Amino acid sequence: MPLFRIFVGSYTDVISTLLFDPCTSELRLTRTSASGSNPSWVETHPRDKTLVLACNELSDGIISLFRSNEEGSLELLQTTSSGGKHPAHFLVTEDEVVVANYSSGTLLTVPLDVTKAVFGESAAPALKFDFSGSGPRADRQEASHPHQVIPNPFWNELLVPDLGGDKLWRLGKDESGKSWQVVGELPVKAGHGPRHAIVHDDMLYVLNELPLSLSQYRLSQHGSRTISHVSTFPTLTPPTQPAEGMLAAELLLTEASAAYPEPLLYASNRNDPSPEGDSIAIFSSGEKFALINEVRTGLKHIRAMSLFGEDNKYLILGGKDGGGIKVYERVNGGRDLKQIAQLEGVEQPTVFAVL
């Protein structure tokens, strides 16, 4: 059974390289590579897995491009501006990087030449999302705060959840075909603060950071592009109410397989004062959408997490403020999680890119 190499982003100045052995359930740190400050989101290129990209979450945001070697060390090849302040997330495709800048409310399309392993010059300036005023949570919704960029294959577009604007921006290519532009917006309930989202078939799932809930919407199939709300469930098992400062963070989806017969959603909660730490909420999907389990992790301040392995058998996540990094195995058809590995010593982990 192969080993899994994992690149870990953080709020430090390094990207850590881990190895996970599924035969022995050993998780160990093998390398750290200088990355510049706050490489908080990390991805590998969808085709050339030796190319690793990170966004440096700074007031003058940066996108960094690395080449990994056989030992898992990263060589910095190039950096370029993210087009705004505090980039929180980016989508990397075959030939471009689309980056969302949280604090400035901007989005930039950066060309990527995979053969030469270089960034190109952006064909257009950073896109500024047109949002004014504030949402019900003035402390978090005083401006546009795009938090993620995801593909929407159902409409052949991109979607950008805007935590500040209580909407998801719809993006399509401009006339040149080189940059993305706003072609519409999908409003959600005021004060929800959409952070991350996933499209599955004709359903849109939106993780609402501020009230700690997950909403299901149906995407229109004909005519105007609209969404209709189906239902919303808390990411905490009722009657538990979120303590002050608690937030939702990450959302993942698994497809059905022989080992795991139903598609499931996994949502993380963070800043839980419970001595049992933050939790992962597990939801059924589609017509049976509902909260079916909540698993305590012992971690403090979970941000991103990643599924990996055959049939997405494993889930890796970490506590930025404590508890280390843990690997869970999906059990009971994916409706429960069993911890199988833990690693201490990696500071402030935020995201995991698994090879």
Side-chain angles (χ1 to χ4, degrees), residues 314-327:
Y314 304 109
L315 177 71
I316 186 168
L317 61 163
K320 183 185 79 69
D321 296 336
I325 295 172
K326 295 184 178 183
V327 176

PDB file of all heavy atoms in Angstrom, residues 314-327:
ATOM      1  N   TYR A 314      -9.764   8.199   4.215  1.00  0.00           N
ATOM      2  CA  TYR A 314      -9.135   8.897   5.327  1.00  0.00           C
ATOM      3  C   TYR A 314      -9.473  10.387   5.309  1.00  0.00           C
ATOM      4  O   TYR A 314      -9.709  10.986   4.257  1.00  0.00           O
ATOM      5  CB  TYR A 314      -7.617   8.728   5.263  1.00  0.00           C
ATOM      6  CG  TYR A 314      -7.168   7.286   5.233  1.00  0.00           C
ATOM      7  CD1 TYR A 314      -6.624   6.737   4.071  1.00  0.00           C
ATOM      8  CD2 TYR A 314      -7.305   6.468   6.350  1.00  0.00           C
ATOM      9  CE1 TYR A 314      -6.223   5.417   4.026  1.00  0.00           C
ATOM     10  CE2 TYR A 314      -6.909   5.139   6.318  1.00  0.00           C
ATOM     11  CZ  TYR A 314      -6.364   4.618   5.155  1.00  0.00           C
ATOM     12  OH  TYR A 314      -5.976   3.306   5.110  1.00  0.00           O
ATOM     13  N   LEU A 315      -9.461  10.968   6.505  1.00  0.00           N
ATOM     14  CA  LEU A 315      -9.682  12.399   6.688  1.00  0.00           C
ATOM     15  C   LEU A 315      -8.563  12.938   7.562  1.00  0.00           C
ATOM     16  O   LEU A 315      -8.311  12.406   8.646  1.00  0.00           O
ATOM     17  CB  LEU A 315     -11.033  12.637   7.364  1.00  0.00           C
ATOM     18  CG  LEU A 315     -11.388  14.090   7.706  1.00  0.00           C
ATOM     19  CD1 LEU A 315     -11.685  14.884   6.437  1.00  0.00           C
ATOM     20  CD2 LEU A 315     -12.598  14.139   8.646  1.00  0.00           C
ATOM     21  N   ILE A 316      -7.879  13.998   7.097  1.00  0.00           N
ATOM     22  CA  ILE A 316      -6.819  14.623   7.882  1.00  0.00           C
ATOM     23  C   ILE A 316      -7.220  16.042   8.232  1.00  0.00           C
ATOM     24  O   ILE A 316      -7.803  16.762   7.401  1.00  0.00           O
ATOM     25  CB  ILE A 316      -5.465  14.595   7.139  1.00  0.00           C
ATOM     26  CG1 ILE A 316      -4.353  15.134   8.059  1.00  0.00           C
ATOM     27  CG2 ILE A 316      -5.511  15.332   5.812  1.00  0.00           C
ATOM     28  CD1 ILE A 316      -2.947  14.889   7.537  1.00  0.00           C
ATOM     29  N   LEU A 317      -6.924  16.445   9.447  1.00  0.00           N
ATOM     30  CA  LEU A 317      -7.255  17.772   9.933  1.00  0.00           C
ATOM     31  C   LEU A 317      -6.345  18.118  11.099  1.00  0.00           C
ATOM     32  O   LEU A 317      -5.643  17.250  11.631  1.00  0.00           O
ATOM     33  CB  LEU A 317      -8.722  17.853  10.358  1.00  0.00           C
ATOM     34  CG  LEU A 317      -9.199  16.949  11.487  1.00  0.00           C
ATOM     35  CD1 LEU A 317     -10.539  17.470  12.053  1.00  0.00           C
ATOM     36  CD2 LEU A 317      -9.431  15.523  11.000  1.00  0.00           C
ATOM     37  N   GLY A 318      -6.318  19.394  11.484  1.00  0.00           N
ATOM     38  CA  GLY A 318      -5.437  19.820  12.559  1.00  0.00           C
ATOM     39  C   GLY A 318      -6.033  20.971  13.336  1.00  0.00           C
ATOM     40  O   GLY A 318      -6.954  21.656  12.876  1.00  0.00           O
ATOM     41  N   GLY A 319      -5.490  21.199  14.519  1.00  0.00           N
ATOM     42  CA  GLY A 319      -5.914  22.310  15.356  1.00  0.00           C
ATOM     43  C   GLY A 319      -4.897  23.438  15.291  1.00  0.00           C
ATOM     44  O   GLY A 319      -3.764  23.260  15.741  1.00  0.00           O
ATOM     45  N   LYS A 320      -5.289  24.563  14.744  1.00  0.00           N
ATOM     46  CA  LYS A 320      -4.351  25.692  14.669  1.00  0.00           C
ATOM     47  C   LYS A 320      -3.895  26.120  16.057  1.00  0.00           C
ATOM     48  O   LYS A 320      -2.743  26.519  16.249  1.00  0.00           O
ATOM     49  CB  LYS A 320      -5.000  26.883  13.959  1.00  0.00           C
ATOM     50  CG  LYS A 320      -4.048  28.078  13.767  1.00  0.00           C
ATOM     51  CD  LYS A 320      -4.720  29.282  13.174  1.00  0.00           C
ATOM     52  CE  LYS A 320      -5.512  30.063  14.186  1.00  0.00           C
ATOM     53  NZ  LYS A 320      -4.650  30.764  15.193  1.00  0.00           N
ATOM     54  N   ASP A 321      -4.795  25.995  17.034  1.00  0.00           N
ATOM     55  CA  ASP A 321      -4.471  26.454  18.377  1.00  0.00           C
ATOM     56  C   ASP A 321      -4.235  25.321  19.366  1.00  0.00           C
ATOM     57  O   ASP A 321      -4.162  25.558  20.569  1.00  0.00           O
ATOM     58  CB  ASP A 321      -5.607  27.353  18.897  1.00  0.00           C
ATOM     59  CG  ASP A 321      -5.755  28.628  18.084  1.00  0.00           C
ATOM     60  OD1 ASP A 321      -4.769  29.044  17.450  1.00  0.00           O
ATOM     61  OD2 ASP A 321      -6.861  29.204  18.077  1.00  0.00           O
ATOM     62  N   GLY A 322      -4.098  24.086  18.848  1.00  0.00           N
ATOM     63  CA  GLY A 322      -3.766  23.000  19.756  1.00  0.00           C
ATOM     64  C   GLY A 322      -4.403  21.683  19.379  1.00  0.00           C
ATOM     65  O   GLY A 322      -5.408  21.627  18.673  1.00  0.00           O
ATOM     66  N   GLY A 323      -3.767  20.608  19.833  1.00  0.00           N
ATOM     67  CA  GLY A 323      -4.280  19.265  19.591  1.00  0.00           C
ATOM     68  C   GLY A 323      -3.527  18.499  18.529  1.00  0.00           C
ATOM     69  O   GLY A 323      -3.748  17.307  18.346  1.00  0.00           O
ATOM     70  N   GLY A 324      -2.638  19.197  17.775  1.00  0.00           N
ATOM     71  CA  GLY A 324      -1.849  18.518  16.761  1.00  0.00           C
ATOM     72  C   GLY A 324      -2.611  18.291  15.466  1.00  0.00           C
ATOM     73  O   GLY A 324      -3.590  18.972  15.152  1.00  0.00           O
ATOM     74  N   ILE A 325      -2.129  17.312  14.712  1.00  0.00           N
ATOM     75  CA  ILE A 325      -2.740  16.891  13.446  1.00  0.00           C
ATOM     76  C   ILE A 325      -3.206  15.454  13.614  1.00  0.00           C
ATOM     77  O   ILE A 325      -2.492  14.625  14.181  1.00  0.00           O
ATOM     78  CB  ILE A 325      -1.730  17.010  12.288  1.00  0.00           C
ATOM     79  CG1 ILE A 325      -1.346  18.476  12.067  1.00  0.00           C
ATOM     80  CG2 ILE A 325      -2.293  16.404  11.000  1.00  0.00           C
ATOM     81  CD1 ILE A 325      -0.211  18.668  11.082  1.00  0.00           C
ATOM     82  N   LYS A 326      -4.410  15.148  13.111  1.00  0.00           N
ATOM     83  CA  LYS A 326      -4.960  13.809  13.280  1.00  0.00           C
ATOM     84  C   LYS A 326      -5.457  13.269  11.944  1.00  0.00           C
ATOM     85  O   LYS A 326      -5.909  14.012  11.084  1.00  0.00           O
ATOM     86  CB  LYS A 326      -6.113  13.826  14.287  1.00  0.00           C
ATOM     87  CG  LYS A 326      -5.676  14.208  15.698  1.00  0.00           C
ATOM     88  CD  LYS A 326      -6.826  14.119  16.692  1.00  0.00           C
ATOM     89  CE  LYS A 326      -6.351  14.454  18.099  1.00  0.00           C
ATOM     90  NZ  LYS A 326      -7.446  14.307  19.097  1.00  0.00           N
ATOM     91  N   VAL A 327      -5.359  11.948  11.811  1.00  0.00           N
ATOM     92  CA  VAL A 327      -5.943  11.237  10.675  1.00  0.00           C
ATOM     93  C   VAL A 327      -7.037  10.337  11.206  1.00  0.00           C
ATOM     94  O   VAL A 327      -6.843   9.606  12.187  1.00  0.00           O
ATOM     95  CB  VAL A 327      -4.895  10.396   9.917  1.00  0.00           C
ATOM     96  CG1 VAL A 327      -5.564   9.588   8.802  1.00  0.00           C
ATOM     97  CG2 VAL A 327      -3.808  11.293   9.339  1.00  0.00           C
TER      98      VAL A 327
END
